[in-house]
Amino acid sequence: DPFFAYDANYLIDNKTGIILDAEGTRANRTAEIAVTQTMMERVRRRFDLQPQRLAGDTAYGAVRLLKWLVDRQIMPHIPVWDKSARSDGTFSRADFVFDRERNVYICPGGKLLHTTGTVIDGGTLRYRASKRDCDTCALKLRCSPNTPMRQIPRDVHEHARDVARALSKTEAYEQSRRERKKIEMRFAHMKRIFKLDRLRLRGLSGAKDEVLLTATAQNLRRLVKLLSRPPPSTARMSVGPAVRWAVTHSPRQSRRRRKDAARSARPIAA
């Protein structure tokens, strides 16, 4: 059944697990992408922080955000939002190879698809194959069975998607996927510990206030854990010998050995 909901958007530092910014939005993918850019700009202005990479799920894999990240030299460790795959058995766009130098697509049959350079729908280029090539192609039934020729749409910012696809094959991308568990833990704590599976305040402004207060409380809990840890060198000096000493002998045995050592050290009267 349909229901009305809000989204809690967190921007965290994967190294420390600290929430750098938080914002409540309506449950809308466009709003989530816009608020991601807003939070990153806000963190840059307030703390002078610029991330090397940004990790997120597929909801953040729209070309608009990917281009925004690539333009700022931030590596998008985000799955690409791509709906070009076909389920009818015909060739999908991924089966065509794009030649950037010649600005053409190469079909599975080795023919070229060209574009006139005209931008349609505000940001899409259309690459068309030659009707003559398609009529004599043995793969036509698997490529364009219902049209005279095959057409491939390509976003004018498709290069940003190509960058994200290339990064998805790296070890750093896999590391970012593992580190994303930290932010999922924050959402789990929000519902399980802070009981924020249901909002108390009404409206979008109330949702923003509750999300921000919850993120503040989570940061305070995290900072207490970080600040209460002893320095590594102190921990090694105090904990290590104590543990070894407790394992080897008890305090009562230690006092008895000290008495025996003192008795044996007394001078013997002549």
PDB file of all heavy atoms in Angstrom, residues 15 21 42 49 80 90 105 180 229:
ATOM      1  N   LYS A  15      36.508   6.854   7.710  1.00  0.00           N
ATOM      2  CA  LYS A  15      37.635   6.494   8.564  1.00  0.00           C
ATOM      3  C   LYS A  15      37.250   6.507  10.041  1.00  0.00           C
ATOM      4  O   LYS A  15      37.593   5.596  10.801  1.00  0.00           O
ATOM      5  CB  LYS A  15      38.802   7.448   8.319  1.00  0.00           C
ATOM      6  CG  LYS A  15      40.061   7.105   9.091  1.00  0.00           C
ATOM      7  CD  LYS A  15      41.198   8.038   8.735  1.00  0.00           C
ATOM      8  CE  LYS A  15      42.471   7.679   9.501  1.00  0.00           C
ATOM      9  NZ  LYS A  15      43.595   8.585   9.151  1.00  0.00           N
ATOM     10  N   ASP A  21      27.405  15.611   8.023  1.00  0.00           N
ATOM     11  CA  ASP A  21      26.214  16.406   7.741  1.00  0.00           C
ATOM     12  C   ASP A  21      25.022  15.463   7.651  1.00  0.00           C
ATOM     13  O   ASP A  21      25.170  14.271   7.359  1.00  0.00           O
ATOM     14  CB  ASP A  21      26.376  17.191   6.435  1.00  0.00           C
ATOM     15  CG  ASP A  21      25.485  18.426   6.386  1.00  0.00           C
ATOM     16  OD1 ASP A  21      24.481  18.450   7.135  1.00  0.00           O
ATOM     17  OD2 ASP A  21      25.786  19.360   5.632  1.00  0.00           O
ATOM     18  N   ARG A  42      28.330  22.192   1.802  1.00  0.00           N
ATOM     19  CA  ARG A  42      28.247  22.746   3.156  1.00  0.00           C
ATOM     20  C   ARG A  42      29.436  22.296   3.998  1.00  0.00           C
ATOM     21  O   ARG A  42      30.012  23.088   4.758  1.00  0.00           O
ATOM     22  CB  ARG A  42      26.931  22.305   3.794  1.00  0.00           C
ATOM     23  CG  ARG A  42      26.465  23.164   4.948  1.00  0.00           C
ATOM     24  CD  ARG A  42      24.978  23.074   5.096  1.00  0.00           C
ATOM     25  NE  ARG A  42      24.477  21.706   5.134  1.00  0.00           N
ATOM     26  CZ  ARG A  42      23.198  21.386   4.931  1.00  0.00           C
ATOM     27  NH1 ARG A  42      22.317  22.336   4.664  1.00  0.00           N
ATOM     28  NH2 ARG A  42      22.801  20.136   4.983  1.00  0.00           N
ATOM     29  N   LEU A  49      36.803  20.609   3.972  1.00  0.00           N
ATOM     30  CA  LEU A  49      37.049  19.204   3.692  1.00  0.00           C
ATOM     31  C   LEU A  49      36.575  18.877   2.280  1.00  0.00           C
ATOM     32  O   LEU A  49      35.466  19.240   1.887  1.00  0.00           O
ATOM     33  CB  LEU A  49      36.313  18.303   4.696  1.00  0.00           C
ATOM     34  CG  LEU A  49      36.791  18.344   6.143  1.00  0.00           C
ATOM     35  CD1 LEU A  49      35.918  17.453   7.014  1.00  0.00           C
ATOM     36  CD2 LEU A  49      38.244  17.902   6.240  1.00  0.00           C
ATOM     37  N   VAL A  80      26.275   2.625 -11.294  1.00  0.00           N
ATOM     38  CA  VAL A  80      25.648   3.493 -12.289  1.00  0.00           C
ATOM     39  C   VAL A  80      24.165   3.147 -12.418  1.00  0.00           C
ATOM     40  O   VAL A  80      23.790   1.977 -12.537  1.00  0.00           O
ATOM     41  CB  VAL A  80      26.346   3.358 -13.650  1.00  0.00           C
ATOM     42  CG1 VAL A  80      25.643   4.199 -14.704  1.00  0.00           C
ATOM     43  CG2 VAL A  80      27.806   3.769 -13.529  1.00  0.00           C
ATOM     44  N   THR A  90      16.963  -9.025 -27.321  1.00  0.00           N
ATOM     45  CA  THR A  90      17.699  -8.241 -28.310  1.00  0.00           C
ATOM     46  C   THR A  90      18.908  -7.576 -27.649  1.00  0.00           C
ATOM     47  O   THR A  90      19.025  -7.525 -26.427  1.00  0.00           O
ATOM     48  CB  THR A  90      16.793  -7.171 -28.935  1.00  0.00           C
ATOM     49  OG1 THR A  90      16.296  -6.317 -27.896  1.00  0.00           O
ATOM     50  CG2 THR A  90      15.621  -7.815 -29.653  1.00  0.00           C
ATOM     51  N   TYR A 105      29.398   4.572 -32.318  1.00  0.00           N
ATOM     52  CA  TYR A 105      29.165   3.279 -31.693  1.00  0.00           C
ATOM     53  C   TYR A 105      29.440   2.190 -32.720  1.00  0.00           C
ATOM     54  O   TYR A 105      29.156   2.355 -33.917  1.00  0.00           O
ATOM     55  CB  TYR A 105      27.723   3.159 -31.202  1.00  0.00           C
ATOM     56  CG  TYR A 105      27.503   3.664 -29.798  1.00  0.00           C
ATOM     57  CD1 TYR A 105      26.965   4.920 -29.568  1.00  0.00           C
ATOM     58  CD2 TYR A 105      27.828   2.868 -28.706  1.00  0.00           C
ATOM     59  CE1 TYR A 105      26.755   5.381 -28.288  1.00  0.00           C
ATOM     60  CE2 TYR A 105      27.621   3.318 -27.411  1.00  0.00           C
ATOM     61  CZ  TYR A 105      27.086   4.573 -27.202  1.00  0.00           C
ATOM     62  OH  TYR A 105      26.886   5.030 -25.923  1.00  0.00           O
ATOM     63  N   ARG A 180      30.875   0.988   3.376  1.00  0.00           N
ATOM     64  CA  ARG A 180      29.511   1.518   3.403  1.00  0.00           C
ATOM     65  C   ARG A 180      28.670   0.922   4.524  1.00  0.00           C
ATOM     66  O   ARG A 180      27.626   1.460   4.881  1.00  0.00           O
ATOM     67  CB  ARG A 180      28.819   1.253   2.061  1.00  0.00           C
ATOM     68  CG  ARG A 180      29.040   2.342   1.020  1.00  0.00           C
ATOM     69  CD  ARG A 180      28.322   2.004  -0.266  1.00  0.00           C
ATOM     70  NE  ARG A 180      26.937   1.646  -0.010  1.00  0.00           N
ATOM     71  CZ  ARG A 180      26.200   0.896  -0.830  1.00  0.00           C
ATOM     72  NH1 ARG A 180      26.736   0.395  -1.920  1.00  0.00           N
ATOM     73  NH2 ARG A 180      24.952   0.634  -0.545  1.00  0.00           N
ATOM     74  N   ARG A 229      39.320   6.208  24.448  1.00  0.00           N
ATOM     75  CA  ARG A 229      40.357   5.220  24.167  1.00  0.00           C
ATOM     76  C   ARG A 229      41.720   5.770  24.569  1.00  0.00           C
ATOM     77  O   ARG A 229      42.059   6.911  24.236  1.00  0.00           O
ATOM     78  CB  ARG A 229      40.368   4.865  22.683  1.00  0.00           C
ATOM     79  CG  ARG A 229      39.110   4.156  22.199  1.00  0.00           C
ATOM     80  CD  ARG A 229      39.183   3.926  20.699  1.00  0.00           C
ATOM     81  NE  ARG A 229      37.979   3.267  20.199  1.00  0.00           N
ATOM     82  CZ  ARG A 229      37.742   3.050  18.907  1.00  0.00           C
ATOM     83  NH1 ARG A 229      38.636   3.440  18.008  1.00  0.00           N
ATOM     84  NH2 ARG A 229      36.634   2.453  18.538  1.00  0.00           N
TER      85      ARG A 229
END
